[in-house]
Amino acid sequence: MTIRDVPVAGGTVLELGGRLDAEAGSQLVEQVTALAAQGTHIAIDMRGVPFVNSAGLASLITCLKRAREKRASLRLLSLQPQVQEVFELTQLSHVFGLNQSDDKAA
Amino acid sequence: MNPTTPGAGTTSSTDTEGIFCDAASSEDRLRRSAASRLALVRDPRAVQVLVGLLSDARQSVQEAAAQALRHRGEGAVSEALARLLGSPDLGLRNRAGTVLASLGEVSVPVLIREATAGEAGVRKFTVEIMGEIRSPWVVGTLVKALRDQDLNVAFAAAEALGKFPAPEVAECLISVFREREELRCPLSEALGMQADARAIPLLVEALGAPELLLQFSAVNALGMIGSPAALRPLMDAFHRSPEPLRHAILQSVTRLTEHISPSSAELAQLQAIIPDVLTAAASEEWEIRRAALRILSLCPASDESTAAVAALLGDPIDEIRQLAWRNLERSSADLLPALTAVLKSGPTVGRCLAAELLATHFDHRATPALREMLRESDCRIRAAAARALGQCGGGESVPALEALTADPEPEVRQSAARALGWMRAENSGACLRALLDDEAGEVRESALGALVLISGEQVVQGLREDLQHPRPERRRLAGVALGYIGDETVVEPLLEALAHEDSGIRQSAALSLGRLQDSRAFEPLRARLEDCEPGVRQASVDALIALDLDRAVLALEGRLHDPDPWVRYHVVSALSDRHHEAIPGLLIRALQDPALVVVIAASEALGRLGVEHSAGQLAGLLDRPEPELVRCVIQSLTLLGGEEAKAALLRHEGRQGPRTS
């Protein structure tokens, strides 16, 4: 798994490439924790991730918690269909606000 | 018609006299054409003719005449039009006014004359046109018109002067405001447009006037001026005003709040009115609550304001709830005290939203209040609390959530399953596996997702056992879950599942092993190519290709003789978007397949992959009787485009006649 750190206006985009499993997940958590500590808003670009297993999902949840603890935002971008499917199955799409419309309280 | 395009009508005249004749014609087309062409005619009579055409029976002729007059733009035009300002035909008068306004400063001298010398109706209309022109040369006349004995003229002048922002204009407006009570409404509006803070005392005074219309005008003007000095007087007026005016006051307050920077000294003035805004947030009128929320979203959050906004999560109006949600979502304040208060009482919708909001912040401190909610009689509250605990809760919430998996309501069981998954409650595997037998499909799905998230040896072992469960649905879900867990621990169980007596399990295991890309799976998957079930053979084809293309191509050669045509079709389709040196040979062989679907898939693939040396074999298919195959072969040969392909296409065309694409 490769993680490319791209600073953008107002935050950082982490571009991932490869399978997101336990090993890659801990690398990602480390990087997100460091960015969140600086209060940086983070977007994780998942377009290069064809596969996420349970451990990878767990690492993403940890990333989200770390970001929220520091009041930084964390957003997932461009999920491949097979990865989106796992997010739907585990209903993490709800936790990460992937399907969230503006009509939150409707 | 464009006035610069001469003689656009095919039979219209081109000489000046002819144009004048056309202008008097009974044919609409000729009059319209003449009007357009008169824009360029130098003869002084042209202006009068055009002015006459402004009252033509046809609108298209009137428009062409107006356009031509604008195009001419000379002083004679404004003189001629000025004579129409007193016309009893209001349509004609308005058309003349519009042209005069569009002529701009050319019209100013005649307008000044008419504004001072005309009769009252003309003076009023002239003043209105001056407001449209916005030339500095009209300001003096407009200021004088403020003191016109006719009230309508003075009204129009006040309205027009609002469009000329300048300190000296504001001074005049202020001075007349003191002199002429009957003009204070339009003067207030004009002063608002001037945005001159010197008007604030007068406008504040007007807030207390008995006339409601004047109060409205003053409120709007104060909002437009945008000075925080108006905040307190506006909020004071708020308390003594009727509902529509209260709404207007809050709109103005919102407007001027937008100008205040959080770091500025003006902030203190804003903070001074917060108690009043909080009162407004509890108003019975929803529009006032909405306006109050908007103001609060612009102010720095305090405990009191956060509590007031949180209470609106339970508002009966959707829009208010959404505003409250967004306000709190963006707030930097500690939301726990306010949201906990909402959790404990109030409308169900508010309590559910408060729980969800706490969850998005992963706020562990909310856990006790959320656990309390698990005992509520309303199932929506139990479900929302369970979901929130999934994000906020720690291990101490697991027993309560596990107990909830036996709730009579499916929504609650589903939420409890979700929550246990999100918490990755590693000891809840047995409880969640039991939910794989739940009568409600959504509960089974949630349990499956939760098991995938929890994973770990204990869960994998349980799912492995479930592969032998007497209930087919549970066996299937266990197989699916193992596939999605997707780590080292599931390879062995999935390999076992490949030999399961249930073909659904074998198929799902094959697909999962393909995703896992573990090389240990290759040989067992290759063996599954001989499975008695076509679905398993197809899944094995996909898995082998995903696992190791080089070895898969060799292994799949034999599958081109599979007894099931759909398996053969699947092999061809699966290979057709891959690149490997052996694939063209396999596809060419597939052209001999007895099943039409396979031959069509192979010929499409050969064209798409650009296998030039397949042109001869493809050409041989052009004699086949099936039109869909022939169409497909023609398409592939066209894509290949080599000499052999072109020759084959020409031969085919020669036999069939020219082909249509």
Side-chain angles (χ1 to χ4, degrees):
Chain A
M1 152 79 65
T2 57
I3 305 177
R4 198 167 146 249
D5 183 333
V6 185
V8 292
T12 296
V13 178
L14 296 175
E15 291 179 357
L16 310 191
R19 295 160 71 88
L20 182 54
D21 53 19
E23 196 187 333
S26 45
Q27 197 187 333
L28 179 64
V29 168
E30 208 174 293
Q31 209 147 339
V32 166
T33 307
L35 287 169
Q38 299 158 21
T40 310
H41 294 295
I42 305 157
I44 300 179
D45 186 342
M46 302 275 288
R47 87 186 60 207
V49 179
F51 175 85
V52 180
N53 69 9
S54 292
L57 292 173
S59 66
L60 286 171
I61 297 176
T62 309
C63 288
L64 184 63
K65 284 186 176 174
R66 296 279 162 85
R68 292 272 168 81
E69 278 162 14
K70 299 291 176 191
R71 291 205 168 260
S73 65
L74 185 137
R75 186 178 281 269
L76 300 182
L77 309 173
S78 309
L79 274 70
Q80 291 194 19
Q82 60 274 28
V83 175
Q84 177 82 38
E85 188 183 307
V86 188
F87 271 78
E88 297 297 338
L89 178 86
T90 53
Q91 284 149 349
L92 283 178
S93 45
H94 175 85
V95 176
F96 282 90
L98 295 178
N99 304 327
Q100 194 171 306
S101 71
D102 282 345
D103 303 337
K104 185 74 227 175
Chain B
M1 185 193 300
N2 186 335
T4 57
T5 310
T10 49
T11 59
S12 53
S13 308
T14 51
D15 61 293
T16 303
E17 291 309 320
I19 297 172
F20 286 140
C21 279
D22 286 350
S25 164
S26 59
E27 275 191 56
D28 300 343
R29 182 179 56 85
L30 289 179
R31 292 200 308 285
R32 189 172 59 242
S33 163
S36 297
R37 282 175 294 135
L38 283 170
L40 301 174
V41 170
R42 290 183 172 211
D43 191 312
R45 291 173 296 165
V47 172
Q48 276 319 314
V49 173
L50 282 168
V51 166
L53 288 174
L54 276 182
S55 46
D56 194 278
R58 290 284 167 197
Q59 192 182 343
S60 61
V61 179
Q62 295 166 10
E63 283 167 3
Q67 199 178 346
L69 285 165
R70 268 195 293 272
H71 186 81
R72 295 184 70 93
E74 70 239 52
V77 171
S78 50
E79 279 293 348
L81 291 171
R83 286 194 282 278
L84 300 179
L85 294 177
S87 167
D89 176 349
L90 291 185
L92 175 62
R93 190 199 72 166
N94 287 341
R95 282 191 290 282
T98 307
V99 177
L100 276 167
S102 66
L103 289 176
E105 294 199 345
V106 172
S107 305
V108 169
V110 291
L111 290 173
I112 289 175
R113 186 186 70 214
E114 295 299 320
T116 47
E119 54 92 21
V122 174
R123 293 202 306 280
K124 175 183 174 282
F125 189 45
T126 309
V127 161
E128 283 169 359
I129 298 168
M130 285 175 158
E132 295 302 314
I133 292 179
R134 301 199 193 183
S135 159
W137 302 108
V138 303
V139 172
T141 309
L142 289 174
V143 168
K144 275 185 202 153
L146 281 176
R147 292 186 170 86
D148 196 290
Q149 59 193 4
D150 185 280
L151 196 58
N152 290 329
V153 178
F155 246 84
E159 279 170 2
L161 280 167
K163 298 170 189 169
F164 294 86
E168 52 277 24
V169 175
E171 269 167 38
C172 293
L173 292 168
I174 289 169
S175 146
V176 179
F177 191 97
R178 292 197 179 102
E179 291 165 22
R180 297 192 73 171
E181 270 195 22
E182 68 278 22
L183 275 186
R184 287 191 300 171
C185 255
L187 287 170
S188 296
E189 301 284 352
L191 285 166
M193 289 163 83
Q194 290 283 333
D196 191 313
R198 288 175 296 172
I200 292 176
L202 289 180
L203 295 168
V204 167
E205 195 186 318
L207 290 176
E211 307 96 322
L212 193 59
L213 276 179
L214 176 57
Q215 290 172 28
F216 262 107
S217 301
V219 164
N220 289 336
L222 287 167
M224 283 194 272
I225 292 173
S227 163
L231 283 170
R232 169 50 54 202
L234 279 170
M235 287 316 293
D236 287 345
F238 177 83
H239 293 297
R240 57 173 190 265
S241 300
E243 193 274 320
L245 187 58
R246 287 218 301 272
H247 183 54
I249 289 173
L250 288 182
Q251 274 185 329
S252 281
V253 170
T254 308
R255 196 167 178 171
L256 59 90
T257 307
E258 283 163 0
H259 298 292
I260 297 175
S261 135
S263 56
S264 71
E266 295 163 338
L267 197 60
Q269 283 166 302
L270 178 59
Q271 277 168 332
I273 65 154
I274 295 291
D276 303 297
V277 179
L278 294 179
T279 309
S283 164
E284 281 181 14
E285 290 95 12
W286 75 273
E287 286 182 313
I288 290 177
R289 295 200 299 278
R290 181 178 62 181
L293 258 177
R294 289 200 171 127
I295 297 168
L296 289 173
S297 72
L298 298 165
C299 303
S302 64
D303 288 350
E304 292 77 13
S305 67
T306 306
V309 176
L312 290 171
L313 286 173
D315 198 278
I317 306 290
D318 281 356
E319 190 185 341
I320 304 274
R321 293 202 299 273
Q322 285 178 33
L323 279 172
W325 174 280
R326 285 192 211 120
N327 186 316
L328 294 167
E329 200 179 27
R330 291 173 197 154
S331 170
S332 56
D334 181 6
L335 303 180
L336 185 77
L339 290 177
T340 308
V342 176
L343 285 182
K344 288 180 178 163
S345 64
T348 299
V349 63
R351 300 175 71 188
C352 292
L353 285 172
E356 200 173 336
L357 204 45
L358 283 164
T360 63
H361 286 81
F362 291 99
D363 196 330
H364 297 284
R365 297 170 302 161
T367 307
L370 290 169
R371 279 216 302 272
E372 282 290 309
M373 287 168 78
L374 295 179
R375 289 197 282 269
E376 290 278 343
S377 58
D378 187 328
C379 69
R380 289 169 299 172
I381 293 181
R382 294 200 301 280
R387 288 194 299 272
L389 278 169
Q391 286 168 264
C392 305
E396 72 282 2
S397 301
V398 169
L401 287 168
E402 284 187 350
L404 226 55
T405 60
D407 194 279
E409 291 298 329
E411 184 190 352
V412 180
R413 298 199 298 278
Q414 183 189 19
S415 298
R418 273 195 204 187
L420 289 166
W422 293 341
M423 292 169 81
R424 306 194 77 222
E426 54 187 14
N427 294 322
S428 301
C431 168
L432 287 164
R433 280 170 45 227
L435 287 183
L436 295 178
D437 284 331
D438 197 281
E439 61 187 15
E442 66 272 24
V443 178
R444 295 197 297 272
E445 289 290 321
S446 290
L448 167 63
L451 286 163
V452 170
L453 272 174
I454 297 170
S455 64
E457 274 182 31
Q458 205 179 329
V459 165
V460 170
Q461 184 51 38
L463 290 169
R464 197 173 189 169
E465 287 163 20
D466 283 346
L467 290 173
Q468 310 307 327
H469 199 274
R471 295 184 66 160
E473 174 69 352
R474 179 134 171 199
R475 291 201 301 269
R476 184 185 75 79
L477 291 173
V480 173
L482 285 169
Y484 278 110
I485 289 173
D487 62 19
E488 270 285 286
T489 59
V490 299
V491 176
E492 283 301 327
L494 285 172
L495 288 173
E496 268 174 40
L498 262 188
H500 200 281
E501 63 183 40
D502 181 333
S503 65
I505 302 283
R506 297 201 299 279
Q507 185 171 348
S508 132
L511 288 172
S512 301
L513 284 165
R515 275 201 300 270
L516 283 177
Q517 300 193 335
D518 189 299
S519 59
R520 284 173 289 173
F522 193 88
E523 286 308 325
L525 281 167
R526 193 219 290 261
R528 279 300 119 204
L529 291 175
E530 305 296 336
D531 197 284
C532 59
E533 281 298 323
V536 180
R537 300 204 294 279
Q538 284 188 20
S540 303
V541 167
D542 291 334
L544 285 167
I545 290 174
L547 210 53
D548 186 339
L549 183 62
D550 284 343
R551 291 170 72 196
V553 170
L554 292 173
L556 293 177
E557 209 171 343
R559 272 315 94 199
L560 288 176
H561 299 295
D562 193 285
D564 187 308
W566 290 107
V567 176
R568 302 200 298 279
Y569 167 79
H570 195 77
V571 172
V572 168
S573 303
L575 291 174
S576 66
D577 55 357
R578 306 283 169 154
H579 291 277
H580 188 279
E581 58 188 12
I583 290 177
L586 291 178
L587 294 173
I588 290 171
R589 274 178 48 201
L591 293 177
Q592 309 303 321
D593 197 282
L596 184 62
V597 284
V598 181
V599 183
I600 288 178
S603 51
E604 272 179 354
L606 286 163
R608 201 166 52 244
L609 292 172
V611 184
E612 278 194 36
H613 66 273
S614 67
Q617 283 87 345
L618 284 169
L621 297 173
L622 289 170
D623 294 329
R624 292 268 299 248
E626 300 92 341
E628 61 272 47
L629 173 60
V630 173
R631 260 200 309 276
C632 186
V633 170
I634 289 173
Q635 209 169 13
S636 289
L637 286 168
T638 310
L639 278 173
L640 292 179
E643 290 304 318
E644 199 174 356
K646 286 179 193 162
L649 286 169
L650 285 172
R651 274 199 307 278
H652 180 68
E653 279 177 17
R655 286 197 299 270
Q656 304 289 318
R659 69 191 155 100
T660 52
S661 59

